[in-house]
Amino acid sequence: MYLTYVEYQTWGGNLDNSTFSRIEYKAEKIIDSYTFNRLKNDTEYNENVKRCMFELVELIHSNGDKIVTNVSVDGYSESYKEFNPVEYGVIIKDYLFGETNQQGENLLYCGVV
């Protein structure tokens, strides 16, 4: 867990514990995909990792899991808030660019120097 519920609340988060836990797990998986699991073996996480998690949790919660913008069937239509997953990458790059894990590996390194 990259961000505890207590830390989340301290920074102004207002989700209940069960909702936070579900969304925190999803946010952690998103960070793991961008960082190639380079945080998995760490035992402590710096402030940028925690703040990145906070922002992702808030984004995921505010967007829900809705991707479809408009659906129409036989005169019945629904609209959902549009969600752009690119927003994840923007937040992750803003907070984790230049950050390293406890082994000194650059979190966002993709193999090109």
Side-chain angles (χ1 to χ4, degrees), residues 28-71:
E28 187 174 314
K29 290 305 210 181
I30 292 166
I31 285 180
D32 287 345
S33 72
Y34 275 84
T35 63
F36 307 97
N37 293 315
R38 290 189 180 111
L39 287 169
K40 285 296 215 185
N41 295 323
D42 284 5
T43 55
E44 294 180 21
Y45 307 101
N46 69 33
E47 184 173 349
N48 280 353
V49 171
K50 293 178 182 198
R51 290 194 180 273
C52 182
M53 280 293 295
F54 179 87
E55 296 297 333
L56 286 175
V57 166
E58 292 295 298
L59 176 64
I60 293 167
H61 175 35
S62 70
N63 284 325
D65 291 321
K66 307 238 186 303
I67 297 173
V68 177
T69 54
N70 292 303
V71 175

Side-chain angles (χ1 to χ4, degrees), residues 1-111:
M1 178 175 280
Y2 301 152
L3 178 69
T4 67
Y5 184 62
V6 171
E7 291 166 331
Y8 170 76
Q9 287 180 311
T10 299
W11 288 336
N14 57 10
L15 297 176
D16 61 72
N17 195 5
S18 63
T19 303
F20 167 78
S21 181
R22 180 180 59 81
I23 295 174
E24 187 277 338
Y25 181 80
K26 185 173 184 175
E28 187 174 314
K29 290 305 210 181
I30 292 166
I31 285 180
D32 287 345
S33 72
Y34 275 84
T35 63
F36 307 97
N37 293 315
R38 290 189 180 111
L39 287 169
K40 285 296 215 185
N41 295 323
D42 284 5
T43 55
E44 294 180 21
Y45 307 101
N46 69 33
E47 184 173 349
N48 280 353
V49 171
K50 293 178 182 198
R51 290 194 180 273
C52 182
M53 280 293 295
F54 179 87
E55 296 297 333
L56 286 175
V57 166
E58 292 295 298
L59 176 64
I60 293 167
H61 175 35
S62 70
N63 284 325
D65 291 321
K66 307 238 186 303
I67 297 173
V68 177
T69 54
N70 292 303
V71 175
S72 292
V73 177
D74 294 331
Y76 174 77
S77 67
E78 288 186 23
S79 294
Y80 299 99
K81 182 176 181 179
E82 185 174 357
F83 167 65
N84 183 356
V86 172
E87 293 175 81
Y88 293 149
V90 171
I91 290 171
I92 290 169
K93 289 173 186 169
D94 283 349
Y95 283 93
L96 301 184
F97 180 78
E99 295 295 324
T100 60
N101 63 9
Q102 289 176 331
Q103 292 77 36
E105 301 167 314
N106 186 312
L107 295 178
L108 300 180
Y109 178 71
C110 294

